[in-house]
Structure formats: C-alpha cells, structure tokens
Amino acid sequence: QQSMERPVALKVIPPAIAADEKAFHRFMREARAAGTLNHPNVVPVYAVGQDDKTPFYAMELVVGRTLDHILARIRAAEDKVTEKRRLLESLSQVFVKRAELDRPDAGAETPAEGRAAKTVLGSEDAELRYYGCLAVAFAGAADGLHHAHSRVIVHRDVKPSNLILDRSGRIRILDFGLARQEGLESLTATNAAVGTPLYMSPEQAQARRVEIDHRTDIYSLGATLYEMLAERPPFQGRSHEDTLAQIVSRDPESPRKLRPRLPRDLDTIVMKCLRKDPKDRFGTAEALAQDLRRFARGEPIEARPQAPIERLVRRVKRHALRIGAAALLVLLAGVSALLVHEYRIRLAESRAVEELKARAEYGSRIAHAVSRIQIVEMNRSLAMSSPHRSDPADLFTGLRLDAITAPPSREELDEALVELELAASALPSGFDGQTATS
C-alpha cells in the first residue's frame, strides 16, 4: 500500500461475485464494515477496491503460519514420537512467549495468563503443556471474535486456514472481508451458504434457511480447537453432503476419547462449543475466552458437561420428525398385526362352526342311512320267517302284518346308499367320522 508505505496482503474476490452487481455492492459494504474492526487478534482490512473490474481487498500482511499448515505438520509427525514432541514443545514456547509479551509492563507481576502458561510448562509432558498453552492462545482468538460480535459482525467462516499464528504467538483471525453484519442482507441470502463444510455450524449446514447469529462463530472456533486437540475434525463424511448430514444429525465424539490424556475440563469446554442448539453453547465468545483462561489457570470452569438425559431430550427434539414417523410406522404395524390376529381368530372360529355343522350333518346322514339299512334288514328277516313264528297267537292278523313284513325293495337300499354318499361328501377334511358316530 504505497499511500501508507506499508506492505499488505491482497485478496482477489471470486469472479462470480464480481459478475453480480448486487452481490458486489453487498460485498463492498460488508468489507468496509469489517474494516472498522480494531483488535490485536483480528487481521484488519485496510482497503477495498476494484482494479480492471477485479474486486479485491487489502489486509495487514502477517508473517506466520495458518493453523491448517500447523495441523498438517502435526499429522505428518504422528508416528514420529520424538519429532512430534519437539513440535509441540516449540508451539508451547511460542504461546508462552505471547503470554510474556502481554504483560502490562516488564516490572509488574506476571499476569494470570502468563502464570498459567508457566504452570503448564512446569510439567515434563510436552503434550499437557501444549494443551494448556493452546487454550490460552484460543482465548485470544475468542476475544477477537467477541470484538467483532460486539459490532454486530459475524465471520461465518472460522476455520484453521483463517486463523494464523504470528511470530509473537498470537492467533489472529483472517478474512473478515467475507463477514456479515447482523440484520443486513448477506451473500447467503441468494447464493450458497458461506463456510467450509468441516467447520460449519448445524444452522449453516441445514438445507432450510434459519437465522444465523454470532454463535455460529463460537461453534466453528470450537470445531477448530477440537481438531487442534484431537488432530481430526469433529465430523468428516465420505462426501460433502454426508459431512453436512453428520453435522446436523449426529453428536461429535468426545475428543477425550481420541486423546485420553486430554484434561476433562478442556474437553467439556470444546463439547459445549459444539452443541447443536445455539442456546446450549457459550452465550458469547467472551464467555468462551474466560472459561479457557480458567482452565489454563487451574480454576473451576463454568461450563458443565451435558447430562445424558439432556442429550437424549435434545436428540429427540432434533429428530422429532423422524421419531414421529417411526412411531407412526410402529403404531400402524401394531394395528395391522392386531387386525390380522383378529381376522385369524374369526376365521378359525368360522371354520370351527362350519366343521361342527358338517360333523352334525355327517352324523345325521349316517344315522339316517343306518336306520334305513336296519329297517330293510328287519323286513328281510320277517319276510323269510314263518307268520306263525312271528305271530304265534295271531294277535296281529287283523293288522295286516304281511304288509309290514313285505320283502325289502331295491329302492330302500338305494336310498340308504345315497345317504352314505351324502354323508361322505359332507365329511370335513382330516375327519375320520369316529367323533360323529360315537
């Protein structure tokens, strides 16, 4: 920047924004608002402009490394114990240097933050020193976000590549040129959501439009701190869409499960940042910074782990539609099962009644046929016997017993056979006839 005789970093705006006049003017307004920020942990925007139809903004040139670069080095040293210990030790020393530089004056007592860092460094464990010093550094970043939020400016894209560790050990926030002033129309009003999927808050990741406020930055800063501690992001799906779905629907795994030596209080602070409902997170970035410093000083933190019953209630609310649909399906399945069971019972009863009727008809026809055969047999016997033997006293002579004892006709036998055939046709399947004839 020749007018101020200072080196600056230039960032060129994507052509898609430059091509849309409305989006371009909106960007210019937001970038100018970000230029009003003045905080040690915020890389200021010095100017915005346009050169040959290419929009850009100029910001302070910071010498240092972004956190994504530092994370890459930590991951590369994962299997190299000595190299990783040296790297963490080097980072801790940088953070401690920052605490010393923040002292009000050289003759004054080391401030609480400095004492905290020294206390942590008193441990012989480089990993534990790293955790404590990292908390102090992220408290400064939270201070920078609180400064922006107090001026109703939301960053919306806090991530490792937008956080730079300068030579003095301070974490500074980049790219406020893409921020939004609360209450004003933003780039996301008509275009895709701003933010990197791995660090998006649940409200940013949702397909439907929801109100986004300063607490989205608290989530994203917590997601970045999570990755610095666990060396992996809270959510990482197989695809962009899978990652967004996990952010919206799943709870992150505790970083302490991945790093068992991580202090419980720091784990609690990070998990509070990552809660799905913005109301359950820290109310302000300042509150987050204060709790991080309490942890570093060894004082009790204000954040509390989410109780299991509270997590269950939140999860039920979050999946109310799915749970309702599942409950409805279970109810329908239950009702269907009851209806099928009732139908089977009634069908069995109907079959039992029909079987009883068939058995009765079978028994009746068998009895009828047997009676006919017995009458025929009796008539045959009487016809073959002597009248005197049948009626030795001639008591029934006047009643024409001969008419009764006439030889059996073929018709009567045929009728008996017909009755037996009808009885057989009425016989239920699997029925042997013993019950009806017994």
Side-chain angles (χ1 to χ4, degrees), residues 269-291:
I269 291 172
V270 173
M271 293 299 286
K272 184 176 178 68
C273 292
L274 298 181
R275 292 181 185 174
K276 301 298 183 189
D277 192 335
K279 296 192 296 292
D280 293 334
R281 300 172 202 153
F282 289 96
T284 64
E286 182 182 33
L288 168 59
Q290 290 173 350
D291 242 8

Side-chain angles (χ1 to χ4, degrees), residues 64-71 159-165 174:
R65 295 289 187 180
T66 55
L67 297 190
D68 63 328
H69 177 83
I70 294 173
L71 277 166
K159 56 186 178 182
S161 60
N162 279 340
L163 296 170
I164 186 168
L165 177 64
L174 296 165

